[in-house]
Amino acid sequence: MKLFYITSGYRRPIDILDNALIKALIAAGYDTTFFLTNRRPLTELIPAIREHAPDLVITLCGPKSHLPITIVHQIRSLGFHTAVWFVDDPYAIDNALEVAAAYDTIFTIDSGCIPYYKAHGCKEVFHLPLGTDLDIFKPYPVHPSYSTDVCFIGTGYKNRLDTMQEMLHYLPPSTRVHLIGHFWEHVDWSRGVRPQLRSKWINFTETPRYFNGAKIVLNLHRSEDDRYLDKNRTGAPAHSINNRTFDISACQAFQLIDYRADLSTYYEPDKEIVGFQSPKEGAELIMHYLNQQEEREAIAARAIARTQREHTFLHRVDRLMSTLALV
């Protein structure tokens, strides 16, 4: 099968997903042409598709589509099958719904969004979670500066700020906590643990160093109704886990995650991953597992094995292509 892949047009962090998917398509052996939208003008896109005459044209879509609907319609009018993978659901689903019906086949990273796409006239809609890149996310020794009891990497959206502030209030003051990302400096940390903050974006090469240096890696999802981006006025629920779940597990790090409805589909709770449903429960689990090294390591070992078996981008490409073969 001949494929034509159009990149999302985004830089970080979506370009990391573009790169991982491109690597997976190459590794899977598909005859794929890549159109890099941040390096070539869109006026060259249709001629390039005509020249290569692919069986499938596929693109990745972040918070907002960089591919105009008129171009998608033009591609379909030429007889080429089109597919899009929306990778910021449900947080930007309002934007996604503006363009989704233009494509033949829709893939969404969150199962809770499927009914909303179908309600907007999309007939072929499938859940396809993101995966991890084992070339980047893997276990290895790190410098002592990355060593800590607990770490979290991510933007401090309101629900995360509130959860973390309450959680750290319950922990002993001696607990070493690293918080990496924007907005964490806006919290009053005078009660409970005072975390070490790094209020900046870090690139994908440094992220696994923190995962490998922490005894416990926290994974807090964004709220489905977060008002920072404010592009889920549709009200689509968040059921699925984020791609960071797979990245953390790929580093053989012990992961403590807030529950999502689909969690048990991908990892066995308390065997491969540990979940919590309130800040107090999260703090209690942190205190428990900080003193249980063997238990942490056993859970992390099972998690990396599951990830390597089922949750890489190569696995996602296989699932994507097998799904398309049936439609």
Side-chain angles (χ1 to χ4, degrees):
M1 176 179 282
K2 294 175 64 177
L3 308 181
F4 193 99
Y5 180 74
I6 306 169
T7 58
S8 67
Y10 276 89
R11 297 190 182 276
R12 64 185 190 186
I14 306 298
D15 61 341
I16 300 170
L17 306 180
D18 276 318
N19 293 338
L21 188 52
I22 287 171
K23 285 170 57 179
L25 288 168
I26 293 172
Y30 288 104
D31 179 4
T32 309
T33 300
F34 305 102
F35 189 92
L36 308 180
T37 53
N38 57 351
R39 296 186 183 180
R40 298 177 64 181
L42 286 178
T43 53
E44 296 180 4
L45 178 58
I46 297 299
I49 293 174
R50 279 180 168 148
E51 177 185 352
H52 293 281
D55 300 295
L56 171 68
V57 177
I58 185 169
T59 189
L60 200 71
C61 186
K64 191 171 183 179
S65 175
H66 282 72
L67 198 60
I69 289 180
T70 53
I71 292 182
V72 180
H73 285 313
Q74 191 173 357
I75 295 170
R76 291 183 67 182
S77 71
L78 295 172
F80 300 113
H81 191 95
T82 58
V84 59
W85 192 3
F86 290 110
V87 297
D88 205 27
D89 283 340
Y91 316 107
I93 193 171
D94 294 352
N95 290 337
L97 290 174
E98 293 177 0
V99 301
Y103 292 87
D104 293 294
T105 307
I106 308 298
F107 293 94
T108 171
I109 63 168
D110 200 292
S111 63
C113 294
I114 291 176
Y116 294 85
Y117 285 111
K118 290 186 175 181
H120 277 72
C122 304
K123 296 180 180 179
E124 299 173 4
V125 187
F126 304 94
H127 176 219
L128 184 67
L130 291 168
T132 191
D133 184 343
L134 297 181
D135 291 333
I136 297 172
F137 295 97
K138 55 189 175 183
Y140 55 82
V142 295
H143 189 272
S145 61
Y146 293 100
S147 176
T148 189
D149 293 328
V150 181
C151 89
F152 175 79
I153 299 176
T155 300
Y157 298 110
K158 187 179 186 306
N159 72 299
R160 288 175 172 172
L161 296 175
D162 293 344
T163 297
M164 192 69 71
Q165 187 176 33
E166 182 177 351
M167 187 182 295
L168 298 196
H169 173 66
Y170 295 116
L171 295 179
S174 60
T175 310
R176 297 175 303 144
V177 178
H178 282 184
L179 302 179
I180 303 97
H182 296 298
F183 307 143
W184 295 104
E185 69 276 14
H186 299 313
V187 174
D188 179 5
W189 300 109
S190 60
R191 299 174 61 208
V193 172
R194 290 181 177 270
Q196 180 177 332
L197 306 181
R198 187 175 177 188
S199 299
K200 62 174 290 186
W201 185 273
I202 61 172
N203 63 36
F204 65 90
T205 60
E206 192 170 15
T207 297
R209 298 176 197 168
Y210 280 100
F211 293 163
N212 279 299
K215 294 178 181 177
I216 296 175
V217 180
L218 282 177
N219 186 356
L220 303 177
H221 291 92
R222 293 165 59 181
S223 172
E224 60 199 26
D225 59 355
D226 182 75
R227 288 292 177 255
Y228 179 74
L229 185 60
D230 200 23
K231 290 299 179 182
N232 186 15
R233 296 295 181 96
T234 302
H239 287 171
S240 301
I241 55 178
N242 56 25
N243 61 305
R244 187 140 291 174
T245 313
F246 308 118
D247 296 340
I248 296 168
S249 295
C251 291
Q252 200 169 338
F254 174 82
Q255 181 171 183
L256 189 60
I257 186 172
D258 57 338
Y259 271 110
R260 280 278 173 92
D262 288 351
L263 177 61
S264 61
T265 302
Y266 299 98
Y267 293 100
E268 185 176 353
D270 300 324
K271 295 292 185 180
E272 298 168 329
I273 197 168
V274 176
F276 65 94
Q277 300 192 60
S278 71
K280 189 173 188 296
E281 183 186 16
E284 291 170 349
L285 289 168
I286 288 172
M287 289 186 284
H288 169 78
Y289 282 105
L290 281 178
N291 296 311
Q292 301 295 329
Q293 180 177 347
E294 289 187 7
E295 193 174 359
R296 288 199 318 267
E297 291 177 350
I299 291 172
R302 289 190 287 267
I304 189 175
R306 179 79 177 267
T307 303
Q308 292 172 342
R309 286 196 312 269
E310 300 180 16
H311 299 317
T312 69
F313 271 96
L314 189 57
H315 293 112
R316 302 303 184 242
V317 165
D318 288 344
R319 181 169 162 184
L320 184 150
M321 298 308 296
S322 62
T323 299
L324 287 169
L326 297 174
V327 299

